[in-house]
Amino acid sequence: MKKKHLAVLLLLALAVGSSGCSTKPASSQQAPAAQEAQTQSQAPAIKADSKACSDAALKKYQAGDYAGALTDFDKALSLDANNYEALSNKGVTLAMRGNSTGSKDDVAQGIALIEKALKLAPKDTSSFYNLALAYKIDGQYDKAITYFKNVIAADPSNTWSYYGIATIYGDLGKADEALPYLKQAIDLGGEEVRDAARTQSHFDKIRSNKQFQTIVH
């Protein structure tokens, strides 16, 4: 899973077109090489035309075009009902839309789709990450932390999963739990992460903590 891609996803989540699909694969969520190979060995192969649609949909999702993304994810799934990437990414798109609109139904449907994707591909690290985001949006913090930790177990250098856990503890005002994860995220991600921590409201409850101030400045 590429750190830059995850940065886009998490910053979208934390900050609260055409139905045709390109035949040229777009940059999409990916697990680390070894983990990806393991995932592929335990998951159904995805049809090429469905994969192309899913990748096109993911680009729209990254751009914040949820309606366009959902249309393309649906087309991908019409071409291959077992496209676990499309299921997972449609799920996180619905959760993100629900986060924007306040629709609990969207969030619940999103969680269900990601869980379905994980039944098809139980080791898919991208789906772990998507489910962590969706659970976080839904306020199921213990489950969100569990899935962020699942990502970290597969990819110990995954900046934005450490940051995701830190934001949850920050929202809860638990500085002692938040700060180790925030420090690890900053050590891995540098100034981009530090800037996010300085400006996002997740850390408002612990902003006066001296250790927090040391870490982010």
Side-chain angles (χ1 to χ4, degrees):
M1 191 184 303
K2 296 179 181 178
K3 294 179 187 175
K4 188 65 177 178
H5 176 63
L6 293 183
V8 172
L9 286 180
L10 189 62
L11 290 173
L12 279 170
L14 299 180
V16 186
S18 168
S19 62
C21 302
S22 169
T23 57
K24 181 178 180 181
S27 173
S28 61
Q29 293 187 70
Q30 297 194 4
Q35 184 67 22
E36 185 176 7
Q38 184 183 22
T39 297
Q40 291 176 347
S41 71
Q42 299 182 13
I46 298 173
K47 294 180 181 178
D49 53 356
S50 179
K51 171 72 172 170
C53 282
S54 183
D55 286 343
L58 185 58
K59 290 185 72 173
K60 292 180 181 179
Y61 164 68
Q62 290 172 327
D65 178 9
Y66 299 153
L70 290 169
T71 296
D72 281 357
F73 284 133
D74 283 341
K75 184 165 185 180
L77 290 166
S78 74
L79 294 167
D80 183 355
N82 289 325
N83 182 338
Y84 59 89
E85 291 180 0
L87 284 168
S88 178
N89 289 325
K90 180 182 176 182
V92 78
T93 302
L94 283 169
M96 291 287 289
R97 187 174 74 177
N99 187 50
S100 298
T101 64
S103 171
K104 293 185 179 296
D105 285 344
D106 271 356
V107 177
Q109 289 176 36
I111 288 171
L113 285 173
I114 303 167
E115 289 174 340
K116 184 176 179 180
L118 279 168
K119 288 181 181 178
L120 290 168
K123 301 294 185 181
D124 182 37
T125 312
S126 296
S127 291
F128 292 160
Y129 189 87
N130 286 346
L131 194 53
L133 286 181
Y135 277 140
K136 184 181 190 302
I137 290 168
D138 199 41
Q140 298 189 59
Y141 295 141
D142 288 344
K143 289 183 178 180
I145 289 169
T146 294
Y147 277 92
F148 279 131
K149 287 182 176 178
N150 286 347
V151 177
I152 291 168
D155 179 10
S157 64
N158 192 281
T159 302
W160 296 97
S161 290
Y162 292 101
Y163 187 80
I165 295 173
T167 64
I168 290 172
Y169 285 128
D171 282 332
L172 296 172
K174 296 184 176 181
D176 289 346
E177 289 86 351
L179 292 174
Y181 287 101
L182 179 59
K183 184 178 185 304
Q184 183 67 37
I186 290 172
D187 287 347
L188 289 166
E191 198 62 24
E192 183 178 13
V193 182
R194 189 175 279 110
D195 284 344
R198 288 185 190 126
T199 58
Q200 291 184 344
S201 62
H202 299 287
F203 300 104
D204 285 353
K205 291 182 179 179
I206 64 171
R207 204 165 293 283
S208 62
N209 181 284
K210 290 183 178 179
Q211 188 179 353
F212 174 84
Q213 293 173 358
T214 299
I215 290 172
V216 300
H217 292 97

